[in-house]
Amino acid sequence: MSVQSDYAAKLVDAATAVAHVRDGDTIVVPVGGGEPPTLLTALSARRHELRKVTVFQLLGIKAYDYFNADTAENIRHATPFAGGSSRKAVNEGWADFVPAHFSEVPGLIRSGQVSSDVLFAQCSPMDEHGFFALGLSTDYALAAASRARVIVLEVNEKLPFTFGNCHIHISQVEAVVESEHPIVTLPPSHVGDVERAIARNVADLIPDGATLQIGIGGIPDAVVAQLMTKNDLGLHTEMLGDGPLALIDAGVVNNSQKNVNRGKAVATFALGSERLYEWMDRNPSIEMRPVDEVNAPAIAALNDNLHSINSTMAIDIMGQCASEGVGRRTYSGSGGQFDFVRAANISKGGRSIIAVPATAKGGTLSTIVLAHEPGTPITTLRNDVNYVCTEFGTAKLRGASLHERAEQLISIAHPDFRDQLTEQAKELRILH
């Protein structure tokens, strides 16, 4: 049978496709652009007839109808990274939070510690050899495919066909559904004076020839603007967005100095503009790979001069980063922060950078605190945090004593909070 005939035989409507889901199944769904809206809408329509089904997904985009406290016993969401669609459910207790480093999720699936009975994923159209590309969200999808009883793909002609280790063959697939949904895109981030000031401090730490891990948002976008005068940068990053694309367009990122995948940018998922997705289509200069190939510290650190840029919600004066929530309220998850902090620390010439505004809540709260609230999960340990940048300067923590860390962090706190932090540190005899 030709691959085209096989495709035609497996092409069904969404209701038929989701009928493969059984009571007790765990459905694995990729991140962001890999989220299949047609399939999840059809699954939601079945929610009253199903029992004890779990949808496992890191960073869901849309809150489908199955996100419902009244039917959580029918279909329940589980995630290692809460976002806008799942945050309320997690904090109210009718969705489950699964603590995990992003790089380790494929291993948890392959070992059976996270179940994978069904894979639902959005993908590119099939090529002439029968392969679909999961390039917008490669992450843990291939691990899920290796364990799944059923693989159902939502084929969308708007998704790019990408290169790398990100393909599933028609012979592996049980059912195919076609879709014309718009791909999820992100609007430009707000970049203000605070973001620009932080970015200048970050850019001062990044030399020519560095390999970058950088995300999205106001601070990363501001950093991109400050890097336009650099030379021969590389990209080995969890998420590919429009910021790194701007550096590629400018010739600043050419990947010529990388030790791993030299000449190519590497990422595990992409989220940005339609222009980004068009650029990715059949572009041999970008490879999309599973997250355990991208985020794993032992692999990422093979690149010399790896510089990771991440943010946090709060950092205490010992250097502990709370990036997932404050107190017992979950806001996000560890994602790949700890993965890349460790990788940058291991990399020859590497630097991990935590970039954070000095205040939150309109300037009413300091993000540099004496101690975190009880119940706050620590994402990145004090032993691992290296550079911290706010709009007021840069602190270097690795190799520094607790006394020196407190002095440095207080010096880059907002001036309105420095006296209070100093007095608190003296009361604890951290400062004298």
Side-chain angles (χ1 to χ4, degrees), residues 223-386:
V223 170
V224 163
Q226 295 295 322
L227 295 178
M228 287 296 177
T229 59
K230 303 289 183 178
N231 300 291
D232 298 326
L233 299 183
L235 192 67
H236 183 108
T237 191
E238 173 183 304
M239 177 179 172
L240 180 65
D242 284 86
L245 178 58
L247 293 174
I248 293 170
D249 285 342
V252 174
V253 166
N254 59 24
N255 299 294
S256 64
Q257 304 302 306
K258 293 175 66 180
N259 300 86
V260 181
N261 303 115
R262 180 165 292 185
K264 297 181 185 294
V266 172
T268 195
F269 74 99
L271 202 54
S273 66
E274 290 183 2
R275 181 177 174 276
L276 172 68
Y277 305 146
E278 291 169 359
W279 175 84
M280 294 172 66
D281 189 44
R282 298 188 180 275
N283 187 338
S285 70
I286 172 69
E287 291 193 353
M288 305 302 292
R289 295 183 169 277
V291 68
D292 52 346
E293 294 182 17
V294 177
N295 286 34
I299 296 176
L302 294 174
N303 290 297
D304 294 344
N305 298 307
L306 178 66
H307 283 58
S308 70
I309 305 165
N310 292 283
S311 193
T312 192
M313 298 184 72
I315 181 169
D316 69 19
I317 59 172
M318 292 191 295
Q320 299 183 118
C321 287
S323 308
E324 305 167 49
V326 176
R328 298 194 179 277
R329 181 170 178 80
T330 298
Y331 183 80
S332 57
S334 60
Q337 180 174 126
F338 187 71
D339 294 332
F340 275 102
V341 167
R342 292 291 294 143
N345 288 342
I346 297 168
S347 166
K348 181 181 178 182
R351 289 171 171 161
S352 69
I353 303 165
I354 300 295
V356 59
T359 62
K361 299 285 187 182
T364 61
L365 295 176
S366 175
T367 57
I368 296 173
V369 298
L370 180 74
H372 296 294
E373 291 184 19
T376 298
I378 303 302
T379 307
T380 303
L381 306 176
R382 64 185 185 178
N383 292 13
D384 295 288
V385 175
N386 193 357

Side-chain angles (χ1 to χ4, degrees), residues 377-410:
I378 303 302
T379 307
T380 303
L381 306 176
R382 64 185 185 178
N383 292 13
D384 295 288
V385 175
N386 193 357
Y387 290 88
V388 180
C389 294
T390 72
E391 64 269 37
F392 297 104
T394 299
K396 186 181 186 310
L397 304 190
R398 276 174 74 83
S401 68
L402 293 181
H403 172 90
E404 292 166 334
R405 287 165 179 251
E407 285 187 331
Q408 287 199 58
L409 287 169
I410 291 171

